[in-house]
């Protein structure tokens, strides 16, 4: 497995997909609802996933692709080389804001994360990591995350989880927002994960993420020392939906023990 | 009063200030706390405000300047030409993220907003408006905001206001976040206001804004039909802190009547 070669190929198709998406803004978007009003999907989402599938299959037909739009084959194990792809993370931002949406790709070899990419399409900003070799933001190496305190932390969390909900104790979330320096919410999991691995946020939590939302980021996370788990502190399940937290290592445990506490 | 000439001058010094701020990232930031840990201010904030004061006084010494850093004279009335300036709105983003901070400038003539600017320094994106002539995002005219429903709306609101607080009925905010399509929080009032006037968000609310946070945006708002008031539906007080809401005209009244309801 030549990681160097695969890394070059992945970057090439990510930049090309980004360029195609930016061009597509000159056409009209055809917006449909997938499973409800909050789950917008566009023709560009699907075309981008198809583009990735065609390119990857031409590169190596044995590679498997698990994509958000489900246009690849059905992936039931992480045996072999598996690309986990979100062609556009942050579809609502894409449609409404024409910014703040990401291409997210994680490449796993026999279940082990090897290459991770989060690409801010409109800024042409690439966050990426190579297992055991480090992580980069464009041409600059990303540093290991420096320890911070809760009082200094800025947390990515959606306002839904501050209200009573069936997933986590919202009154503990309220304790958290009164303790930390600030909170943010951007509407793209991949963007918030990219911000955590680059120290622009100190944690991000979500109650229901799919593998393609986090696969790219989790590989970058390892290289900078960010800790990513589900809300029970265990490994994220890469073949299903799961809860998710990624945090600066100095506050991950405190967040799970005191502030982001699931029912049951 | 030659608005055209003043507009050209304002853009020139905004672009120059932006360029100086981007260059300054190569130096170390000296960060102090102004009135608490959440209120960071940097030497670049102050230098930028001084730059604006010097430039404006050289342009016309009769113009007055009301700035966040308080380095201009004391402004007690809006008589004459008054520039209301936030050299860096979103200081925490500036320090931590190196993005998502704005220069915001509103120019008032005898109390009437004439020219408004919000400049995303790192993206080099300018939102601006000229009273009676229209509003633009870089070289493109901004359209009048199209009517939307609450169910389609994306609202900028900080998670603090979803928790019990002494300003507004938080249980009504919870009703709102369950009704709308989504919420966002970016940590820069000027950025969220720029997003509302360009249709990237449908409303933004805050409990405690100062004149310099909104002066630029409120002039752009008039030109696109966004409605900006305090939370009692009245005009914002430009010489003091006040509550603030800016919204798509189709939902402004509904927001104030049902969801963003101050105590007393």
């Amino acid at each position: 497995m030549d990681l160097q070669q695969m890394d070059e190929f992945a970057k090439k198709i990510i930049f090309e997909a980004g360029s195609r998406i930016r061009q597509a803004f000159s056409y009209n978007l055809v917006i449909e609802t997938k499973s409800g009003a909050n789950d917008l999907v566009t023709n560009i989402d699907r075309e981008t996933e198809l583009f990735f599938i065609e390119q990857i299959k031409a590169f190596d037909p044995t590679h498997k692709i698990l994509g958000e739009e489900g246009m690849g084959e059905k992936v039931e194990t992480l045996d072999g080389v598996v690309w986990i792809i979100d062609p556009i993370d942050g579809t609502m931002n894409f449609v409404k804001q024409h910014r703040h949406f990401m291409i997210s790709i994680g490449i796993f070899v026999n279940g082990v994360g090897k290459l991770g990419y989060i690409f801010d399409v409109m800024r042409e900003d690439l966050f990426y990591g190579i297992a055991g070799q480090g992580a980069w933001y464009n041409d600059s190496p990303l540093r290991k995350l420096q320890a911070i305190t809760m009082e200094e932390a800025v947390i990515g969390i959606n306002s839904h989880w501050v209200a009573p909900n069936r997933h986590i104790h919202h009154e503990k979330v309220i304790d958290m927002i009164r303790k930390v320096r600030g909170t943010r919410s951007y509407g793209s999991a991949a963007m918030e994960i990219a911000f955590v691995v680059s120290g622009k946020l100190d944690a991000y939590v979500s109650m229901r993420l799919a593998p393609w939302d986090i696969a790219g980021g989790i590989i970058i996370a390892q290289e900078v020392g960010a800790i990513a788990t589900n809300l029970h502190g265990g490994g994220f399940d890469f073949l299903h939906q799961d809860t998710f937290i990624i945090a600066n290592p100095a506050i991950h445990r405190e967040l799970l023990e005191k502030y982001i506490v699931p029912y049951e």
Side-chain angles (χ1 to χ4, degrees), chain A:
Chain A
M1 190 59 52
D2 185 339
L3 282 188
Q4 179 80 24
Q5 188 198 8
M6 225 149 76
D7 172 55
E8 279 167 24
F9 170 68
K11 281 179 189 149
K12 180 176 146 291
I13 60 176
I14 287 168
F15 289 130
E16 189 171 335
S19 158
R20 294 159 70 106
I21 293 169
R22 290 191 300 277
Q23 277 172 19
F25 272 121
S26 47
Y27 305 104
N28 282 328
L29 299 179
V30 180
I31 301 159
E32 308 168 12
T33 53
K34 209 159 50 175
S35 64
N38 285 336
D39 202 5
L40 297 166
V41 63
T42 66
N43 50 356
I44 299 173
D45 254 306
R46 275 200 238 96
E47 278 165 22
T48 304
E49 184 161 314
L50 271 181
F51 167 78
F52 281 124
I53 293 171
E54 284 164 11
Q55 296 287 317
I56 294 163
K57 289 293 183 187
F59 177 76
D60 188 331
T62 71
H63 289 193
K64 295 187 289 183
I65 298 126
L66 174 60
E68 183 181 16
E69 303 307 327
M71 313 193 78
E73 69 268 67
K74 195 158 168 54
V75 175
E76 291 179 331
T77 76
L78 290 180
D79 294 344
V81 179
V82 181
W83 296 59
I84 302 183
I85 297 181
D86 194 344
I88 295 179
D89 182 77
T91 308
M92 204 191 307
N93 291 344
F94 171 68
V95 171
K96 195 170 177 86
Q97 302 191 338
H98 296 190
R99 70 180 70 190
H100 295 169
F101 58 89
M102 310 280 139
I103 293 171
S104 173
I105 295 184
I107 305 177
F108 288 70
V109 179
N110 295 321
V112 179
K114 291 293 188 185
L115 299 163
Y117 306 87
I118 299 173
F119 184 58
D120 183 326
V121 173
M122 299 311 286
R123 285 182 71 115
E124 301 184 62
D125 259 0
L126 181 66
F127 303 80
Y128 70 102
I130 304 176
Q133 294 182 35
W136 291 264
Y137 168 52
N138 296 325
D139 297 328
S140 307
L142 286 173
R143 294 183 304 174
K144 292 273 175 195
L145 296 178
Q146 307 294 301
I148 51 135
T149 64
M150 282 296 289
E151 287 80 3
E152 295 167 320
V154 180
I155 310 288
I157 187 166
N158 190 276
S159 60
H160 267 289
W161 316 120
V162 187
N165 67 82
R166 61 194 173 82
H167 294 281
I168 55 174
H169 291 270
H170 77 284
E171 68 282 4
K172 293 181 191 291
V173 177
I174 292 171
D175 291 344
M176 181 190 81
I177 64 177
R178 288 179 176 152
K179 179 146 186 117
V180 298
R181 178 159 287 168
T183 62
R184 299 284 185 272
S185 182
Y186 299 107
S188 156
M191 178 173 173
E192 299 188 54
I193 294 167
F195 275 23
V196 174
V197 298
S198 55
K200 298 179 193 303
L201 287 176
D202 302 302
Y204 165 69
V205 297
S206 180
M207 299 317 129
R208 43 187 182 203
L209 288 184
W212 41 82
D213 293 315
I214 67 152
I218 214 162
I219 294 161
I220 310 173
Q222 292 166 358
E223 298 303 310
V224 297
I227 301 185
T229 64
N230 63 29
L231 292 187
H232 296 94
F236 188 89
D237 177 352
F238 273 96
L239 290 171
H240 302 92
Q241 286 215 350
D242 203 348
T243 57
F244 183 70
I245 179 169
I246 181 167
N248 183 296
I251 60 169
H252 176 267
R253 177 188 291 265
E254 189 176 356
L255 280 168
L256 282 189
E257 283 177 356
K258 292 192 196 163
Y259 302 112
I260 309 293
V261 181
Y263 290 111
E264 106 322 324

mmCIF file of all heavy atoms in Angstrom, chain A residues 129-151:
data_model
loop_
_atom_site.group_PDB
_atom_site.id
_atom_site.type_symbol
_atom_site.label_atom_id
_atom_site.label_comp_id
_atom_site.label_asym_id
_atom_site.label_seq_id
_atom_site.Cartn_x
_atom_site.Cartn_y
_atom_site.Cartn_z
ATOM 1 N N GLY A 129 -4.555 14.638 6.974
ATOM 2 C CA GLY A 129 -3.653 13.898 7.839
ATOM 3 C C GLY A 129 -3.257 12.572 7.202
ATOM 4 O O GLY A 129 -4.040 11.981 6.453
ATOM 5 N N ILE A 130 -2.037 12.152 7.486
ATOM 6 C CA ILE A 130 -1.540 10.858 7.018
ATOM 7 C C ILE A 130 -1.113 10.090 8.273
ATOM 8 O O ILE A 130 -0.269 10.583 9.037
ATOM 9 C CB ILE A 130 -0.351 11.024 6.055
ATOM 10 C CG1 ILE A 130 -0.748 11.932 4.886
ATOM 11 C CG2 ILE A 130 0.143 9.656 5.563
ATOM 12 C CD1 ILE A 130 0.388 12.237 3.909
ATOM 13 N N ALA A 131 -1.715 8.916 8.481
ATOM 14 C CA ALA A 131 -1.481 8.182 9.733
ATOM 15 C C ALA A 131 0.006 7.998 9.997
ATOM 16 O O ALA A 131 0.751 7.501 9.143
ATOM 17 C CB ALA A 131 -2.195 6.829 9.683
ATOM 18 N N GLY A 132 0.446 8.426 11.148
ATOM 19 C CA GLY A 132 1.836 8.247 11.548
ATOM 20 C C GLY A 132 2.792 9.276 10.985
ATOM 21 O O GLY A 132 3.972 9.314 11.350
ATOM 22 N N GLN A 133 2.306 10.130 10.077
ATOM 23 C CA GLN A 133 3.213 11.091 9.444
ATOM 24 C C GLN A 133 2.906 12.536 9.795
ATOM 25 O O GLN A 133 3.758 13.416 9.643
ATOM 26 C CB GLN A 133 3.186 10.914 7.920
ATOM 27 C CG GLN A 133 3.748 9.570 7.490
ATOM 28 C CD GLN A 133 3.760 9.410 5.970
ATOM 29 O OE1 GLN A 133 3.970 10.365 5.240
ATOM 30 N NE2 GLN A 133 3.525 8.194 5.506
ATOM 31 N N GLY A 134 1.676 12.800 10.263
ATOM 32 C CA GLY A 134 1.353 14.166 10.647
ATOM 33 C C GLY A 134 0.103 14.685 9.961
ATOM 34 O O GLY A 134 -0.592 13.941 9.262
ATOM 35 N N ALA A 135 -0.179 15.959 10.211
ATOM 36 C CA ALA A 135 -1.363 16.598 9.641
ATOM 37 C C ALA A 135 -0.981 17.996 9.171
ATOM 38 O O ALA A 135 -0.040 18.595 9.676
ATOM 39 C CB ALA A 135 -2.473 16.672 10.685
ATOM 40 N N TRP A 136 -1.736 18.475 8.204
ATOM 41 C CA TRP A 136 -1.420 19.757 7.582
ATOM 42 C C TRP A 136 -2.683 20.568 7.332
ATOM 43 O O TRP A 136 -3.768 20.014 7.140
ATOM 44 C CB TRP A 136 -0.716 19.535 6.236
ATOM 45 C CG TRP A 136 0.656 18.981 6.378
ATOM 46 C CD1 TRP A 136 1.831 19.682 6.383
ATOM 47 C CD2 TRP A 136 1.017 17.598 6.552
ATOM 48 N NE1 TRP A 136 2.896 18.815 6.564
ATOM 49 C CE2 TRP A 136 2.430 17.541 6.666
ATOM 50 C CE3 TRP A 136 0.290 16.406 6.648
ATOM 51 C CZ2 TRP A 136 3.121 16.341 6.865
ATOM 52 C CZ3 TRP A 136 0.976 15.211 6.841
ATOM 53 C CH2 TRP A 136 2.376 15.186 6.945
ATOM 54 N N TYR A 137 -2.511 21.898 7.349
ATOM 55 C CA TYR A 137 -3.540 22.821 6.881
ATOM 56 C C TYR A 137 -2.906 23.518 5.674
ATOM 57 O O TYR A 137 -1.971 24.305 5.832
ATOM 58 C CB TYR A 137 -3.900 23.814 7.988
ATOM 59 C CG TYR A 137 -4.743 24.984 7.552
ATOM 60 C CD1 TYR A 137 -5.925 24.779 6.845
ATOM 61 C CD2 TYR A 137 -4.369 26.288 7.846
ATOM 62 C CE1 TYR A 137 -6.699 25.851 6.444
ATOM 63 C CE2 TYR A 137 -5.133 27.372 7.450
ATOM 64 C CZ TYR A 137 -6.298 27.144 6.747
ATOM 65 O OH TYR A 137 -7.064 28.212 6.344
ATOM 66 N N ASN A 138 -3.371 23.162 4.490
ATOM 67 C CA ASN A 138 -2.713 23.573 3.248
ATOM 68 C C ASN A 138 -1.223 23.204 3.336
ATOM 69 O O ASN A 138 -0.910 22.032 3.533
ATOM 70 C CB ASN A 138 -2.955 25.058 2.970
ATOM 71 C CG ASN A 138 -4.442 25.335 2.732
ATOM 72 O OD1 ASN A 138 -5.138 24.503 2.149
ATOM 73 N ND2 ASN A 138 -4.933 26.461 3.175
ATOM 74 N N ASP A 139 -0.324 24.160 3.266
ATOM 75 C CA ASP A 139 1.099 23.793 3.280
ATOM 76 C C ASP A 139 1.731 23.832 4.669
ATOM 77 O O ASP A 139 2.921 23.570 4.814
ATOM 78 C CB ASP A 139 1.883 24.740 2.354
ATOM 79 C CG ASP A 139 1.411 24.593 0.918
ATOM 80 O OD1 ASP A 139 1.014 23.462 0.545
ATOM 81 O OD2 ASP A 139 1.420 25.593 0.188
ATOM 82 N N SER A 140 0.935 24.166 5.684
ATOM 83 C CA SER A 140 1.508 24.307 7.030
ATOM 84 C C SER A 140 1.209 23.087 7.896
ATOM 85 O O SER A 140 0.064 22.646 7.962
ATOM 86 C CB SER A 140 0.915 25.528 7.736
ATOM 87 O OG SER A 140 1.059 26.663 6.936
ATOM 88 N N PRO A 141 2.226 22.565 8.582
ATOM 89 C CA PRO A 141 1.954 21.447 9.503
ATOM 90 C C PRO A 141 1.024 21.915 10.616
ATOM 91 O O PRO A 141 1.162 23.036 11.113
ATOM 92 C CB PRO A 141 3.340 21.112 10.076
ATOM 93 C CG PRO A 141 4.332 21.814 9.241
ATOM 94 C CD PRO A 141 3.646 22.972 8.580
ATOM 95 N N LEU A 142 0.068 21.064 10.994
ATOM 96 C CA LEU A 142 -0.768 21.356 12.156
ATOM 97 C C LEU A 142 -0.017 20.905 13.401
ATOM 98 O O LEU A 142 0.527 19.796 13.447
ATOM 99 C CB LEU A 142 -2.111 20.634 12.052
ATOM 100 C CG LEU A 142 -3.097 21.205 11.041
ATOM 101 C CD1 LEU A 142 -4.318 20.298 10.914
ATOM 102 C CD2 LEU A 142 -3.532 22.614 11.439
ATOM 103 N N ARG A 143 0.002 21.769 14.423
ATOM 104 C CA ARG A 143 0.697 21.425 15.661
ATOM 105 C C ARG A 143 -0.144 20.490 16.518
ATOM 106 O O ARG A 143 -1.367 20.443 16.383
ATOM 107 C CB ARG A 143 0.964 22.705 16.466
ATOM 108 C CG ARG A 143 1.927 23.636 15.798
ATOM 109 C CD ARG A 143 2.180 24.829 16.683
ATOM 110 N NE ARG A 143 0.933 25.510 17.038
ATOM 111 C CZ ARG A 143 0.872 26.522 17.900
ATOM 112 N NH1 ARG A 143 1.968 26.948 18.495
ATOM 113 N NH2 ARG A 143 -0.285 27.107 18.164
ATOM 114 N N LYS A 144 0.532 19.759 17.409
ATOM 115 C CA LYS A 144 -0.196 19.040 18.453
ATOM 116 C C LYS A 144 -1.030 20.060 19.220
ATOM 117 O O LYS A 144 -0.554 21.178 19.493
ATOM 118 C CB LYS A 144 0.783 18.370 19.416
ATOM 119 C CG LYS A 144 1.572 17.231 18.797
ATOM 120 C CD LYS A 144 0.815 15.914 18.887
ATOM 121 C CE LYS A 144 1.587 14.817 18.150
ATOM 122 N NZ LYS A 144 0.765 13.621 17.902
ATOM 123 N N LEU A 145 -2.239 19.691 19.588
ATOM 124 C CA LEU A 145 -3.091 20.640 20.310
ATOM 125 C C LEU A 145 -2.498 20.944 21.683
ATOM 126 O O LEU A 145 -2.068 20.041 22.402
ATOM 127 C CB LEU A 145 -4.497 20.062 20.456
ATOM 128 C CG LEU A 145 -5.246 19.851 19.132
ATOM 129 C CD1 LEU A 145 -6.620 19.234 19.391
ATOM 130 C CD2 LEU A 145 -5.389 21.156 18.351
ATOM 131 N N GLN A 146 -2.483 22.219 22.035
ATOM 132 C CA GLN A 146 -1.980 22.657 23.337
ATOM 133 C C GLN A 146 -3.083 22.516 24.383
ATOM 134 O O GLN A 146 -4.260 22.744 24.080
ATOM 135 C CB GLN A 146 -1.570 24.139 23.265
ATOM 136 C CG GLN A 146 -0.604 24.467 22.147
ATOM 137 C CD GLN A 146 0.738 23.802 22.345
ATOM 138 O OE1 GLN A 146 1.390 24.023 23.344
ATOM 139 N NE2 GLN A 146 1.137 22.953 21.407
ATOM 140 N N ALA A 147 -2.691 22.190 25.614
ATOM 141 C CA ALA A 147 -3.685 22.039 26.680
ATOM 142 C C ALA A 147 -4.398 23.368 26.937
ATOM 143 O O ALA A 147 -3.775 24.428 26.926
ATOM 144 C CB ALA A 147 -3.016 21.558 27.962
ATOM 145 N N ILE A 148 -5.706 23.281 27.156
ATOM 146 C CA ILE A 148 -6.492 24.462 27.539
ATOM 147 C C ILE A 148 -7.402 24.073 28.692
ATOM 148 O O ILE A 148 -7.591 22.894 28.974
ATOM 149 C CB ILE A 148 -7.374 24.976 26.386
ATOM 150 C CG1 ILE A 148 -8.181 23.801 25.810
ATOM 151 C CG2 ILE A 148 -6.597 25.685 25.320
ATOM 152 C CD1 ILE A 148 -9.596 24.156 25.585
ATOM 153 N N THR A 149 -8.006 25.079 29.339
ATOM 154 C CA THR A 149 -8.988 24.821 30.394
ATOM 155 C C THR A 149 -10.392 25.015 29.822
ATOM 156 O O THR A 149 -10.569 25.625 28.759
ATOM 157 C CB THR A 149 -8.806 25.819 31.547
ATOM 158 O OG1 THR A 149 -9.072 27.143 31.051
ATOM 159 C CG2 THR A 149 -7.377 25.771 32.092
ATOM 160 N N MET A 150 -11.388 24.514 30.555
ATOM 161 C CA MET A 150 -12.773 24.718 30.137
ATOM 162 C C MET A 150 -13.091 26.212 30.021
ATOM 163 O O MET A 150 -13.816 26.631 29.121
ATOM 164 C CB MET A 150 -13.740 24.068 31.139
ATOM 165 C CG MET A 150 -13.866 22.559 31.005
ATOM 166 S SD MET A 150 -14.572 22.023 29.409
ATOM 167 C CE MET A 150 -16.280 22.544 29.614
ATOM 168 N N GLU A 151 -12.562 27.004 30.929
ATOM 169 C CA GLU A 151 -12.858 28.445 30.917
ATOM 170 C C GLU A 151 -12.333 29.125 29.641
ATOM 171 O O GLU A 151 -12.827 30.174 29.246
ATOM 172 C CB GLU A 151 -12.240 29.139 32.137
ATOM 173 C CG GLU A 151 -12.951 28.857 33.460
ATOM 174 C CD GLU A 151 -12.572 27.513 34.062
ATOM 175 O OE1 GLU A 151 -11.710 26.798 33.483
ATOM 176 O OE2 GLU A 151 -13.138 27.170 35.116
#
